[in-house]
Amino acid sequence: PLASSPLALCPSPHSDVRFVVGQERQEVFAHRCLLACRCNFFQRLLGPELGPGLPSPVVLSTVPAEAFLAVLEFLYTNSVKLHRHSVLEVLTAALEYGLEELRELCLEFVVKVLDVELVCEALQVAVTFGLGPLQERCIAFIEAHSQEALRTRGFLELSAPALLPLLRSDKLCVDEAELVLAARSWARVGAAVLERPVAEVAAPVVQELRLALLAPAELSALEEQNRQEPLIPVEQIVEAWKCHALRRGDAARGARCRRRRGTLPREHHRFLDLPFK
């Protein structure tokens, strides 16, 4: 159901503020005095009382109606019933409105219900709002369920700053060849949304791909695909080839040769200087 509190969807004899909420433009009615007393955000937003009758509606188009109703439920009752499908939207609203107690309730709930489908979306919220503990929890979950998480829509919709800590992790349970494919899919989606070249979208993150872990045949295939659809800077592929040619992990400055937890063994790995720890 849409409403956490059905009464909020119709005016009461004493309601004196009307919100138009979300893309669906849902009308929500409330009481100015209570909101202003409970939340500084609403105190600033609503200002002083303007006399009898309902004034012009306050438009809040970026918050979904269900999340806004959950916020009102918390402000009116100091409790809230959270749902897995909307908790991140409620958390975002709590952060934007400065509701610390609601934020903590949402964080506890997110950790409790975290799963493969939710984790990348939760990671994005954590990175956007600087929620360090939640970010660490999400990364640890993805490290343990890497292949499943990389196939979700949430992964494809991550921002570059959210994707970077994943690609820097030694504990991902996925092979580098699969990680390269996932990075390409992520960049294609971003390129379509932003209307920019794939290589331009990928530039902030692809340097974290450890191409020297790929076997020569895989690296050759990647090089050919890169000619057809640029993704990785040519210099980065050259660095990987240097590691193969000299058979040393430190063959080229900046070469990334450290194995991840999910790296499949290849014959040349015995020449790398930095095994997975």
Side-chain angles (χ1 to χ4, degrees):
L2 175 63
S4 299
S5 174
L7 293 176
L9 298 179
C10 57
S12 75
H14 304 292
S15 58
D16 58 357
V17 61
R18 176 165 56 110
F19 297 94
V20 176
V21 182
Q23 297 299 314
E24 58 269 53
R25 298 187 61 80
Q26 175 69 57
E27 283 195 328
V28 178
F29 299 88
H31 303 84
R32 178 185 303 270
C33 180
L34 187 146
L35 298 187
C37 288
R38 291 276 284 145
C39 177
N40 290 334
F41 172 85
F42 286 111
Q43 186 179 56
R44 295 190 301 270
L45 178 69
L46 300 175
E49 295 188 33
L50 300 177
L54 282 175
S56 299
V58 178
V59 178
L60 298 173
S61 59
T62 59
V63 57
E66 184 174 358
F68 187 74
L69 288 169
V71 170
L72 290 191
E73 179 185 356
F74 174 78
L75 292 176
Y76 274 79
T77 68
N78 210 40
S79 63
V80 64
K81 184 175 182 181
L82 296 169
H83 303 277
R84 179 194 168 282
H85 70 273
S86 60
V87 63
L88 293 177
E89 294 168 339
V90 180
L91 173 59
T92 298
L95 291 162
E96 292 177 344
Y97 300 164
L99 297 170
E100 297 295 325
E101 292 182 38
L102 181 56
R103 182 192 75 165
E104 292 306 311
L105 290 173
C106 290
L107 288 172
E108 291 177 11
F109 188 83
V110 169
V111 170
K112 187 183 301 183
V113 301
L114 201 62
D115 61 15
V116 167
E117 293 299 324
L118 186 65
V119 67
C120 287
E121 296 176 30
L123 175 61
Q124 184 60 64
V125 172
V127 171
T128 299
F129 291 97
L131 304 174
L134 179 59
Q135 179 176 331
E136 292 174 5
R137 181 65 69 96
C138 291
I139 289 175
F141 188 97
I142 295 172
E143 287 171 341
H145 305 85
S146 304
Q147 292 186 342
E148 299 93 333
L150 264 54
R151 299 189 186 108
T152 64
R153 187 181 72 175
F155 172 80
L156 295 176
E157 294 176 349
L158 286 174
S159 65
L163 180 55
L164 271 174
L166 292 179
L167 296 184
R168 288 171 178 159
S169 172
D170 292 343
K171 297 179 181 179
L172 289 178
C173 291
V174 63
D175 186 62
E176 209 65 23
E178 189 171 344
L179 200 55
V180 171
L181 291 176
R184 186 178 292 277
S185 296
W186 171 85
R188 284 172 174 166
V189 170
V193 171
L194 300 172
E195 298 183 343
R196 291 161 50 194
V198 169
E200 183 180 329
V201 172
V205 302
V206 290
Q207 72 271 14
E208 301 298 335
L209 294 173
R210 304 176 185 183
L211 304 185
L213 296 176
L214 301 177
E218 295 172 306
L219 196 53
S220 293
L222 174 62
E223 196 169 22
E224 179 58 33
Q225 186 177 15
N226 206 58
R227 292 192 190 98
Q228 299 173 14
E229 183 188 39
L231 173 75
I232 300 169
V234 173
E235 297 80 7
Q236 188 175 345
I237 297 176
V238 170
E239 296 293 302
W241 278 120
K242 286 182 180 179
C243 287
H244 281 282
L246 300 179
R247 296 191 170 187
R248 292 205 318 274
D250 63 347
R253 184 179 181 184
R256 301 183 180 276
C257 301
R258 189 164 57 250
R259 283 168 269 185
R260 305 181 196 269
R261 181 169 288 163
T263 300
L264 298 176
R266 293 165 174 82
E267 191 277 336
H268 74 285
H269 287 178
R270 60 196 178 97
F271 299 111
L272 301 182
D273 294 326
L274 298 172
F276 171 76
K277 296 180 180 179

